[in-house]
């Protein structure tokens, strides 16, 4: 794919277009032609439409969807609201004619959808992850309603954060473990007697709130401009994959110093995930934490005593 892409660029050059010139074509045509080529060649959902840049930072992740029709419904809901990046974690049937039928005019979202094996793969590069749930779970977690979710997503995306909205299985939703990978949970305040929405409908509600918040933000100075002393910019935040490596390191260290008993973990890692998830840890801060863990492991092995 890479060779084909390079060849494509070379051909353009040969034809007397410098790449710069190619980019100078009318704004949205430029965006479309470049990104469509990139998306098709790389099979990536990351750059695939004319969606406004801010909304392109948002990916919708569907975990283990059973009914292909729901994947199509979700794609349509997304496209109606200007979202374009769909990631499917092990869908049962995809591609599928029912998905195409329900997507209606949103077939491009399906064509560019990225299919991955695990939720972890779906979240690579993300700074902010919001997981949706139709009901309460055992460990209380920072909870947003769809409107607060829309506001948060647009604020963070505007600062360059990569964001995932994660949706669960039709029959059983997201597992506790999956929910614990999320910084926030989002619950659509449905009737508790009948709380579970159709998957596509849930995607619609959240996408709509993102759009409303995005429309409201148009023409307004961004939060970064308003707040010059903003602390960590989201683009500098540790990504989900970096956080995952940190949690592994943390767990190993806690076992080494016998703070964590693998036989009786008592939700310790979940609680720590919640703590760090709330803290907007920057990449630089993550390096400090990793450094502390490395030295702690050495101390646990007695290496520091030997050094003295
Ligand atoms: N029986 C499942 C419901 C799954 S519905 C359960 O108890 O969790 C399929 C998906 O749609 C959910 O995983 C969630 O992503 C979304 N969803 C449905 N209803 C929702 C609600 N009220 N709030 C937030 N998300 C909801």
């Amino acid at each position: 794919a890479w060779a084909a892409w390079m060849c494509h660029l070379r051909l353009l050059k040969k034809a007397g277009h410098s790449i710069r010139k190619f980019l100078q074509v009318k704004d949205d045509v430029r965006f479309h032609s470049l990104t469509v080529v990139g998306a098709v060649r790389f099979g990536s959902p990351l750059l695939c439409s004319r969606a406004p840049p801010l909304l392109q930072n948002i990916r919708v992740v569907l975990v283990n969807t059973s009914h292909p029709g729901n994947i199509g419904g979700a794609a349509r809901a997304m496209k109606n609201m200007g979202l374009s990046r769909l990631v499917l974690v092990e869908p049962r049937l995809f591609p599928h004619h029912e998905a195409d039928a329900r997507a209606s005019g949103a077939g491009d979202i399906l064509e560019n959808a990225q299919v991955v094996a695990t939720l972890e793969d779906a979240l690579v590069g993300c700074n902010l992850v919001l997981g949706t749930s139709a009901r309460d779970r055992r460990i209380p977690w920072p909870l947003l309603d769809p409107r607060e979710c829309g506001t948060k997503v647009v604020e963070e995306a505007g600062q360059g954060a990569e964001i995932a909205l994660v949706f669960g299985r039709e029959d059983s939703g997201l597992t506790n473990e999956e929910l614990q990978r999320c910084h926030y949970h989002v619950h659509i305040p449905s009737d508790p007697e009948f709380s579970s929405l159709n998957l596509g409908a849930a995607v619609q509600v959240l996408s709509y709130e993102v759009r409303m918040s995005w429309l409201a933000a148009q023409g307004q100075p961004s939060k970064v401009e308003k707040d010059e002393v903003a602390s960590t910019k989201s683009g500098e935040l540790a990504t989900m994959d970096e956080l995952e490596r940190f949690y592994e390191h943390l767990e190993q260290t806690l076992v080494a110093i016998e703070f964590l008993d693998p036989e009786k973990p008592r939700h310790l890692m979940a609680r720590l995930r919640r703590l760090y998830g709330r803290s907007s840890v920057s990449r630089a801060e993550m390096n400090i934490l990793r450094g502390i863990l490395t030295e702690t492991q050495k101390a646990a092995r007695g290496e520091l005593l030997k050094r003295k």
Side-chain angles (χ1 to χ4, degrees), residues 187-207:
H187 175 68
I188 300 165
S190 44
D191 187 329
E193 298 295 314
F194 188 55
S195 64
S196 170
L197 278 76
N198 164 266
L199 177 59
V203 172
Q204 183 74 79
V205 171
L206 261 64
S207 308

Side-chain angles (χ1 to χ4, degrees), residues 50-251:
R50 317 162 69 117
L54 183 152
L55 297 180
Q56 290 212 17
N57 289 359
I58 303 163
R59 64 186 86 169
V60 168
V61 179
L62 306 183
V63 180
N64 291 159
T65 310
S66 309
H67 302 293
N70 282 336
I71 298 177
R76 181 175 186 171
M78 288 168 60
K79 187 162 176 174
N80 284 144
M81 298 299 129
L83 299 181
S84 58
R85 292 169 51 193
L86 179 60
V87 185
L88 305 170
V89 180
E90 264 198 332
R92 194 165 65 87
L93 294 168
F94 186 81
H96 194 271
H97 61 89
E98 275 178 42
D100 298 339
R102 285 276 304 280
S104 188
D108 56 329
I109 307 263
L110 296 181
E111 272 158 37
N112 291 304
Q114 188 183 15
V115 179
V116 295
T118 64
L119 178 59
E120 202 172 341
D121 294 335
L123 299 183
V124 169
C126 276
N127 307 107
L128 175 67
V129 181
L130 301 105
T132 52
S133 175
R135 59 194 161 97
D136 282 346
R137 306 282 164 157
R138 243 185 323 160
I139 297 189
W141 215 257
L143 183 68
L144 303 177
D145 67 29
R147 193 140 305 166
E148 292 165 331
C149 166
T151 308
K152 178 99 193 143
V153 164
V154 169
E155 258 175 33
E156 298 284 336
Q159 293 182 53
E162 277 287 323
I163 296 165
L165 298 172
V166 186
F167 295 84
R169 301 154 187 85
E170 290 93 331
D171 54 349
S172 56
L174 294 168
T175 63
N176 284 335
E177 197 191 311
E178 286 161 347
L179 282 165
Q180 284 164 13
R181 285 182 180 245
C182 303
H183 297 99
Y184 291 91
H185 293 169
V186 185
H187 175 68
I188 300 165
S190 44
D191 187 329
E193 298 295 314
F194 188 55
S195 64
S196 170
L197 278 76
N198 164 266
L199 177 59
V203 172
Q204 183 74 79
V205 171
L206 261 64
S207 308
Y208 169 75
E209 289 295 346
V210 167
R211 183 159 194 86
M212 288 303 281
S213 171
W214 176 73
L215 288 172
Q218 295 303 294
Q220 287 180 10
S222 75
K223 197 160 178 265
V224 181
E225 285 160 6
K226 273 192 279 182
D227 187 1
E228 294 273 292
V229 287
S231 50
T232 317
K233 289 199 194 78
S234 296
E236 293 162 8
L237 292 180
T239 60
M240 290 307 286
D241 29 316
E242 289 163 347
L243 271 169
E244 279 311 315
R245 287 196 289 275
F246 165 68
Y247 291 134
E248 265 170 40
H249 197 174
L250 180 61
E251 188 168 4

